[in-house]
Amino acid sequence: MRLSQMLFVTLRDDPADAEIPSHKLLLRAGYIRRIGSGVYAYLPLMWRVLQKVSQIVREEMNATGAQECLLPQLQPAELWQESGRWDTYTKAEGIMFALTDRRQQNLALGPTHEEIITTVARDMVRSYRQLPLHLYQLQTKFRDEIRPRFGLMRGREFIMKDGYSFHGDEDSLKKTYQDMYHAYSNMLRRCGLKFRAVEADSGAIGGSGSTEFMILADAGEDEVLYTEDGKYAANVEKAVSLPPDAVDSAFSSYEKRETPGTDTIEKLCNFLQCDATQVVKNVLYQAVYDNGVTVLVLVSIRGDQEVNEVKLQNELTRLAPQFGGKAVLKLTVPDKEAQDKWAAKALPLGYIAPDIGDDYIQAIKDVSPKFLRLVDATVTSLKNFITGSNESGYHVVGANWTEQFTLPNITVDIRKARPGDRALHNPEQLLQTARGIEVGHIFQLGTKYSQAMGATYTNEQGEEKPLVMGCYGVGVSRLAQAAVEQSYDKDGIVWSVAIAPYHAIVTVPNINDTQQMAAAEKLYLELNKAGIETLLDDRNERAGVKFKDADLIGIPYRIVTGKALANGKVEIVKRATKESQEIALEDVVVTIQQWITAATSQS
Ligand code: ATP
Ligand code: MG
C-alpha cells in the first residue's frame, strides 16, 4: 500500500480524551477513531492488526478440533428468560442492550452467546456419539458497560472470539478446558505478549473452575496476586490466602466501655490502644434479589480485614433460594436514604454488634424481616475480642463467642486477600501484586445452561442427561490494544512482527529524487511479491516527518532509499531496537524474510 493513497492521518499531540499510552498511541497513529462512548471505528491499519490476531486465534482454535461458525447478534428475549439471565443482564448489571421490535417483541444485542449455542445444541445434539463438540465464532459483541474507557480496552462494541464446548461428562470437559488453556497460551505467546494465567471468579456467566489470561501492564484494571514460586496466581476477586495471625487480646474480662467518636476501626484502635486483629467488625450490606426481595446482610469480619464483595455476592447468590430468588440484582452498602426505607429506628452505625436486633428492620413487604448474618472465617477463633455494643459511643471488650455472642451459623471466606499475605500452598511464600489486562477467560460451566434450557443427550446406557458445557472467550480488540500497552517507546508503537499491520515500510526521503524513487518502487514490488507486507511512503513530505510517522505507527522494519544508494545499498532500521544497518539492494528481500521467520517462529 502506498501512503500517498491511504487514509493516513497522524496527530502530533496526545488527544485530550485518552488516558493511557496505548489509547493515545492508537489515536495518534491513526489506527482508531472514536465515534461515541465506547464505540470506535477500526481504521485500515487497525483492521489489519485485528485480522492478524484473529488469524492466530483461529489457527490455535482449529488445531484443537474446534469449528468456526457465526451466531446471530440479535437474540430473542425468551432464550434469556429460559436461562434466567434476562433480568440479571438487563437490570442487575444492566450490561445488555435490549430493544423492542415493531411487533413488540423483546430482543437483545448479544453480549455473549451461551443462550444461543445452548439452543442450537438442544435442537441438534441427541447422542453421546456427537460429543464432545466445540463451536466458536469471531464476532462483534455489545455491552452497555458502566464505564467504557481506555479505547478498545473497555468498549461497548468490541470483537470477541467466543467458543462453547459440549460434553458427556466432566472428564471430557476438563480435557477440552486443558486444551483451551494451552491454545490460549499459544495464542498470546505467538502475539508476542507477556502474560499470566490466573485463577478467576466465574461471575454472572456461572459455573465452577475458571482461568483468566492477563497481560501484565500497569494500566491493567485487574489486580493479580501471585507467588514468586510460580505455584499460585489469582485475580484478587478470587484470591485466597492466610490472614496474618491475630494478636492476643489485652482484655481478659467482658465489659462495655465508653468509646466516644470511634466509628472507624482506626479511631477505635487508637482509643483503646488495641490491635485491629482483636476487633470483630460488623459491616452492613443491602442485597436486592431478582424477585424484588431486599435482604439486610451483616458481615462480621476481623478488624484488619476487608470484605471481598465479589465473594460476598457469590455467597448471596448461593443463598438466593432461601429468599425465593435466583440472582442478586444489586449489592450495596446502604446509605442514609436506603436505610430510611427499611430501618425501624436509627442504626448505631460504627458501633454495630454481631447480634444487632432484627427489630431494627421494619415489617414491610419485600424486605426480609431478619438480618442475614455471615461471619468470615477470620473471626471465629478470636478470643476476648472487641466489637460494637449496638449503642453509639460504646464498644464491648473481652467478648467471646458462645458467651456474649452466638456465632452465626454461616461461616464463609469473604475476605479480600492482600499482597503480603501468606499463601495457602506454602505459608513461606508471600503474595505479590501485579496489574493485569484480562484478555481471555475460560470457564467450566457444567450444566447450568443445559439444565435451565433443557439441552440433553442420550448416553451409552440410553439415559437422558444434561449436556456438560465449557465456554472460552478472547477479547480480540482488547488484546490488540493490550499489545500496544505492553510494547511502545517515546516515539510510538512497537508491534511484534506477528501482529504488526505491515512487516516493512519503504521510506523515500525525497520523492523528487528519481534514483531514490526508482529503487523504492522496485523494492516495494519485490518485497510484496515475496509475501513481505510492505508500505511505501511516497508522500510529498520531509524525510523527518516520514521517519517520525514510521516510528509512530510501529512497523517492524524501515527501509530507507537514501544516501547509501550511491553504494548500491539501503539503510534498514529495526523499529524495536532502532538498530540500523546498510544492506545491498539485492539482499533486502532475503534478509527481511529471515528476520520475519526468526521473529515469528521463536514466539
Ligand atoms: P471484564 O471483567 O474486563 O469486564 P468480562 O469478565 O466481562 O471482562 P468475559 O465475559 O469473560 O469478560 O469476556 C471474554 C473476554 O472479552 C474478556 O476476557 C475480555 O478480553 C473481553 N472483553 C470483555 N468485555 C470487554 C469490553 N467491554 N471491551 C473489550 N473487550 C472486552
Ligand atoms: Mg465485563
Side-chain angles (χ1 to χ4, degrees):
M1 186 74 211
R2 293 163 188 275
L3 257 62
S4 62
Q5 291 169 14
M6 246 173 97
L7 171 63
F8 189 82
V9 182
T10 56
L11 311 172
R12 203 166 289 271
D13 298 316
D14 281 338
D17 56 349
E19 294 162 67
I20 59 170
S22 56
H23 186 197
K24 290 179 187 166
L25 286 169
L26 289 177
L27 284 169
R28 273 186 56 204
Y31 280 79
I32 56 173
R33 200 80 204 157
R34 183 180 181 276
I35 301 298
S37 168
V39 179
Y40 286 83
Y42 309 124
L43 299 173
L45 287 175
M46 191 72 218
W47 185 235
R48 289 182 70 100
V49 173
L50 292 170
Q51 283 179 300
K52 294 217 170 162
V53 174
S54 301
Q55 189 52 28
I56 291 174
V57 168
R58 246 182 212 116
E59 285 168 17
E60 293 301 330
M61 292 302 293
N62 293 348
T64 70
Q67 293 174 76
E68 188 171 354
C69 63
L70 189 60
L71 303 169
Q73 281 158 310
L74 267 182
Q75 308 192 358
E78 299 84 81
L79 299 180
W80 287 77
Q81 277 146 1
E82 275 185 55
S83 72
R85 287 207 297 182
W86 180 259
D87 282 346
T88 13
Y89 270 68
T90 56
K91 292 193 203 127
E93 304 195 0
I95 211 157
M96 187 156 70
F97 286 102
L99 57 116
T100 310
D101 68 13
R102 64 174 78 237
R103 289 175 298 144
Q104 305 308 311
Q105 303 291 315
N106 288 323
L107 296 161
L109 289 179
T112 177
H113 281 70
E114 284 79 9
E115 281 75 4
I116 302 291
I117 200 80
T118 308
T119 304
V120 172
R122 173 171 67 189
D123 293 347
M124 303 186 70
V125 176
R126 295 264 168 265
S127 152
Y128 69 92
R129 288 189 203 89
Q130 292 167 279
L131 301 174
L133 181 71
H134 187 169
L135 298 181
Y136 76 94
Q137 60 172 346
L138 280 143
Q139 187 196 54
T140 297
K141 293 278 185 279
F142 298 91
R143 292 187 184 179
D144 195 1
E145 296 280 356
I146 299 168
R147 277 191 80 190
R149 57 178 187 160
F150 299 161
L152 308 186
M153 292 285 192
R154 187 168 294 285
R156 295 200 301 161
E157 181 179 321
F158 58 95
I159 302 174
M160 198 202 286
K161 183 287 291 179
D162 48 327
Y164 306 86
S165 67
F166 296 91
H167 310 267
D169 57 39
E170 290 283 334
D171 284 348
S172 168
L173 166 62
K174 290 212 164 79
K175 180 176 178 307
T176 298
Y177 185 78
Q178 274 310 311
D179 289 349
M180 282 302 112
Y181 190 101
H182 294 302
Y184 276 39
S185 303
N186 291 343
M187 284 171 202
L188 299 180
R189 215 172 289 125
R190 285 181 60 187
C191 290
L193 294 161
K194 285 194 283 292
F195 67 96
R196 203 182 269 277
V198 310
E199 285 178 24
D201 177 63
S202 302
I205 302 264
S208 49
S210 91
T211 301
E212 283 169 344
F213 290 81
M214 297 283 187
I215 304 295
L216 304 176
D218 291 340
E221 290 187 285
D222 285 285
E223 183 180 2
V224 173
L225 296 177
Y226 65 95
T227 55
E228 222 48 91
D229 65 1
K231 297 207 171 115
Y232 184 72
N235 189 315
V236 68
E237 292 178 348
K238 169 85 178 177
V240 290
S241 66
L242 290 170
D245 289 330
V247 171
D248 281 342
S249 173
F251 303 96
S252 51
S253 60
Y254 178 74
E255 57 182 293
K256 184 167 165 181
R257 292 265 184 106
E258 186 170 4
T259 54
T262 59
D263 57 353
T264 66
I265 298 291
E266 200 190 342
K267 290 183 205 160
L268 176 66
C269 291
N270 272 334
F271 185 88
L272 287 177
Q273 290 297 299
C274 66
D275 191 87
T277 60
Q278 303 162 3
V279 180
V280 172
K281 166 166 83 171
N282 305 290
V283 196
L284 186 63
Y285 283 93
Q286 171 170 337
V288 181
Y289 282 98
D290 54 346
N291 57 350
V293 173
T294 295
V295 177
L296 288 320
V297 186
L298 191 70
V299 178
S300 300
I301 187 167
R302 213 170 71 186
D304 62 317
Q305 300 296 316
E306 279 167 72
V307 176
N308 175 332
E309 293 184 1
V310 174
K311 290 185 184 175
L312 174 59
Q313 168 110 14
N314 289 342
E315 202 53 47
L316 294 172
T317 306
R318 209 176 53 78
L319 296 170
Q322 196 171 314
F323 304 100
K326 279 199 191 115
V328 181
L329 288 193
K330 212 168 160 195
L331 177 64
T332 48
V333 172
D335 57 11
K336 182 82 182 60
E337 201 186 323
Q339 289 165 28
D340 285 347
K341 296 220 173 87
W342 53 263
K345 47 189 173 176
L347 290 152
L349 295 175
Y351 302 89
I352 294 179
D355 65 352
I356 186 167
D358 293 325
D359 58 352
Y360 275 93
I361 306 174
Q362 283 181 49
I364 39 178
K365 188 176 170 289
D366 283 344
V367 175
S368 174
K370 291 188 168 164
F371 286 104
L372 170 64
R373 297 168 204 270
L374 301 176
V375 283
D376 182 72
T378 46
V379 298
T380 52
S381 56
L382 288 187
K383 302 260 180 309
N384 295 318
F385 56 80
I386 300 146
T387 195
S389 67
N390 294 326
E391 187 180 342
S392 287
Y394 293 86
H395 281 86
V396 296
V397 302
N400 284 288
W401 300 111
T402 69
E403 290 174 26
Q404 294 79 22
F405 296 101
T406 346
L407 198 60
N409 50 15
I410 313 178
T411 302
V412 283
D413 168 28
I414 32 179
R415 203 182 116 247
K416 213 176 198 166
R418 290 189 198 144
D421 284 353
R422 294 162 298 167
L424 288 183
H425 74 275
N426 174 0
E428 280 175 14
Q429 291 283 323
L430 303 186
L431 297 187
Q432 319 274 317
T433 178
R435 304 300 302 179
I437 301 166
E438 178 201 327
V439 292
H441 198 167
I442 60 176
F443 298 79
Q444 294 178 34
L445 287 176
T447 56
K448 175 176 161 151
Y449 296 91
S450 53
Q451 252 166 352
M453 302 184 70
T456 58
Y457 75 101
T458 309
N459 70 11
E460 277 188 80
Q461 288 73 43
E463 302 155 332
E464 194 170 326
K465 295 275 178 196
L467 288 160
V468 178
M469 291 173 60
C471 78
Y472 320 93
V474 177
V476 171
S477 44
R478 181 185 284 182
L479 186 159
Q481 184 174 328
V484 178
E485 195 59 41
Q486 210 173 54
S487 180
Y488 65 89
D489 62 18
K490 65 177 186 3
D491 298 316
I493 300 171
V494 181
W495 290 112
S496 68
V497 174
I499 61 171
Y502 289 89
H503 298 129
I505 179 166
V506 178
T507 305
V508 192
N510 175 8
I511 57 164
N512 299 317
D513 180 321
T514 45
Q515 197 197 357
Q516 284 189 12
M517 238 357 240
E521 290 279 2
K522 184 156 178 281
L523 279 175
Y524 173 62
L525 268 179
E526 286 172 2
L527 287 161
N528 276 310
K529 212 159 135 200
I532 299 167
E533 299 162 21
T534 306
L535 285 169
L536 174 64
D537 193 350
D538 57 348
R539 294 174 300 162
N540 190 9
E541 290 282 0
R542 282 182 294 115
V545 170
K546 296 186 180 183
F547 295 153
K548 270 210 163 67
D549 278 344
D551 280 349
L552 179 61
I553 64 173
I555 306 300
Y557 309 116
R558 182 174 83 210
I559 302 149
V560 186
T561 55
K563 291 193 200 83
L565 278 181
N567 310 318
K569 292 183 172 178
V570 286
E571 184 197 20
I572 307 191
V573 186
K574 290 187 175 169
R575 173 66 186 89
T577 55
K578 298 279 175 81
E579 194 189 322
S580 143
Q581 59 204 88
E582 289 186 355
I583 291 185
L585 279 166
E586 60 275 18
D587 296 336
V588 171
V589 172
V590 195
T591 307
I592 295 195
Q593 231 156 13
Q594 280 167 358
W595 288 350
I596 292 174
T597 312
T600 48
S601 57
Q602 70 177 240
S603 56

